Amino acid sequence: MQAEFELVSEIRAVETIASGHGIRILERLNRAYGKGNWRKLKGFAAVRLPDGTVAEAEIHWFEAHGIGKRRMKIKRLIE
């Protein structure tokens, strides 16, 4: 689910899914945003969808020290 969304709450229960060479798109991240100690993370947050509804969602993103969060997406909505 690659739609535009806005975070309404802080991201909770953050877990590292992959880091370093375990990230499939590591080269693409290095080219687009710069070299860094990249990690793929997941967590849960309330989000506002384009139609205005607020829902709880599982969020995935990439993060590197000094670069910040990039390529944030909703993986699934939680009922």
Side-chain angles (χ1 to χ4, degrees):
M1 178 175 276
Q2 196 69 1
E4 291 291 320
F5 63 93
E6 174 188 354
L7 288 176
V8 178
S9 69
E10 289 192 21
I11 302 172
R12 302 175 305 285
V14 176
E15 283 182 51
T16 299
I17 300 171
S19 62
H21 292 288
I23 298 174
R24 293 180 183 170
I25 65 166
L26 182 61
E27 287 300 317
R28 192 177 323 164
L29 292 169
N30 284 332
R31 275 196 312 270
Y33 306 111
K35 291 193 181 224
N37 184 18
W38 287 101
R39 300 182 305 153
K40 183 174 183 179
L41 298 136
K42 77 174 186 176
F44 298 92
V47 295
R48 181 172 290 115
L49 301 172
D51 66 358
T53 60
V54 176
E56 189 71 18
E58 180 179 332
I59 310 288
H60 287 204
W61 72 95
F62 296 96
E63 185 174 296
H65 181 75
I67 298 172
K69 292 179 175 71
R70 297 289 186 265
R71 298 178 62 103
M72 189 172 280
K73 72 176 184 178
I74 296 174
K75 194 65 173 184
R76 65 185 174 106
L77 294 176
I78 306 202
E79 301 287 322

